[in-house]
Amino acid sequence: MSGGPSMWWCRHPRRTEPKAAPMTEFHPVPEPRGTLTHVNCVVSAPLGYRPLHLDLHVPPGDGPFPVVLWIHGGGWMTGSRVWTVDQRFHERMVARGYAVADVDYRLAMEATWPAQQADVDAAVRWLRHHATALRLDPDRFAVLGESAGGQIAAVAALTGTGDTAIQAAIIWYGPADLAGLRRQEDPLEFPAILLGGPVAERQAVARLASPLHNVHRAAPPFLLVHGTEDEIVPFAEAAGFAGALRAQGVRCDVIPVQGARHVFAGAAVEVGTLTEAGADFLDDVLGR
């Protein structure tokens, strides 16, 4: 989950009285991923932490293919690289000629910011280093992040240079300004856990972690896809971020998803059409 300056988000649970133990809930058996070509690739091993992996889906053929790094959401507290909003996301992107890398990053209870940025940068470096062997085009790297992953993806796109450079970014309902959140004194709100303390006390770090405060005129093109009724990250946050990018002369397309709440709940369109719209954007800006 994610949040914006005019609302609040999920909070770390406070238990005030004993509760009965919940029934065990089992996650479903994962669907086979027929597009998967390289699984559990170790891209970095931060000292004192678990190794970080990615899974890679590459179209058939000689390539080289542009690659999209998928960065999952979950409020920086939950989630996995195998989580997707569109259940046919990989199939659609591979059919359009894009490789997809599902990227790991450390969650907020494992490490505070900027560990997550470092983890995505490590994945970009690894993919670019092995681009020839993996049939990838090192000059056409894009990120696509949703919710909290959208914040991470946007910062990666705005700060990457050299071997971490990103040429295009698609953000699904991601927060843009962590420094401007309400409830800045609460240490148990998820952004506070990400930042290592209450937002009010971590303003410098919050600005470094905020896409809005990293905008510059050399940034790559952006596509923002955001529900107009998002109750977690208000649509106004996407509009403000788009305005800041455009003020610097950076291309920023916006797709308002009418009636959609967070994670596109209640959208009048099928989520696959939004994946396809992202592929159309990448076709345009990456010169396919």
Side-chain angles (χ1 to χ4, degrees):
M1 308 291 286
S2 305
S6 62
M7 320 222 6
W8 208 143
W9 331 27
C10 295
R11 303 179 66 182
H12 194 273
R14 289 189 177 101
R15 181 166 292 182
T16 57
E17 60 183 42
K19 296 183 179 180
M23 295 181 62
T24 301
E25 294 185 6
F26 294 102
H27 289 281
V29 175
E31 293 291 333
R33 295 186 288 167
T35 57
L36 192 58
T37 51
H38 302 279
V39 66
N40 290 331
C41 305
V42 177
V43 299
S44 66
L47 185 64
Y49 297 94
R50 60 189 169 94
L52 299 172
H53 300 80
L54 64 76
D55 298 332
L56 188 62
H57 312 249
V58 184
D62 295 333
F65 299 102
V67 61
V68 178
L69 282 77
W70 164 253
I71 305 176
H72 70 83
W76 307 286
M77 296 289 284
T78 64
S80 160
R81 68 181 185 273
V82 303
W83 286 18
T84 55
V85 180
D86 175 8
Q87 297 305 306
R88 294 184 56 208
F89 173 74
H90 299 92
E91 181 182 342
R92 297 181 206 276
M93 295 302 293
V94 167
R96 295 287 297 264
Y98 290 92
V100 179
D102 307 323
V103 176
D104 259 348
Y105 60 86
R106 283 168 285 180
L107 301 176
M109 293 292 283
E110 297 178 281
T112 56
W113 189 268
Q116 296 73 22
Q117 179 181 355
D119 296 342
V120 172
D121 284 348
V124 175
R125 287 192 184 96
W126 187 88
L127 289 164
R128 194 164 263 129
H129 177 78
H130 293 292
T132 299
L134 297 172
R135 296 178 288 129
L136 306 178
D137 186 338
D139 296 321
R140 292 187 293 170
F141 273 45
V143 288
L144 195 166
E146 60 105 13
S147 194
Q151 171 264 331
I152 299 170
V155 172
L158 290 164
T159 61
T161 59
D163 60 357
T164 63
I166 298 295
Q167 284 74 49
I170 301 172
I171 310 300
W172 287 359
Y173 45 85
D177 186 11
L178 301 190
L181 296 172
R182 299 179 65 183
R183 300 184 184 271
Q184 296 207 355
E185 305 295 334
D186 192 337
L188 297 180
E189 295 190 346
F190 287 0
I193 297 172
L194 173 74
L195 300 174
V199 176
E201 299 175 10
R202 304 288 289 169
Q203 276 289 301
V205 178
R207 290 176 67 87
L208 288 174
S210 297
L212 185 65
H213 297 291
N214 283 278
V215 170
H216 57 91
R217 62 179 61 254
F222 273 74
L223 170 65
L224 310 183
V225 188
H226 210 111
T228 60
E229 305 302 319
D230 196 321
E231 74 286 13
I232 304 297
V233 185
F235 179 78
E237 188 138 346
F241 183 39
L245 287 165
R246 291 166 178 168
Q248 291 292 322
V250 177
R251 174 174 172 176
C252 183
D253 298 355
V254 180
I255 298 179
V257 185
Q258 297 299 324
R261 303 186 302 279
H262 206 57
V263 200
F264 300 138
V269 297
E270 202 272 324
V271 67
T273 65
L274 303 176
T275 300
E276 296 288 353
D280 292 341
F281 168 79
L282 294 177
D283 284 353
D284 187 21
V285 300
L286 298 180
R288 288 178 59 75

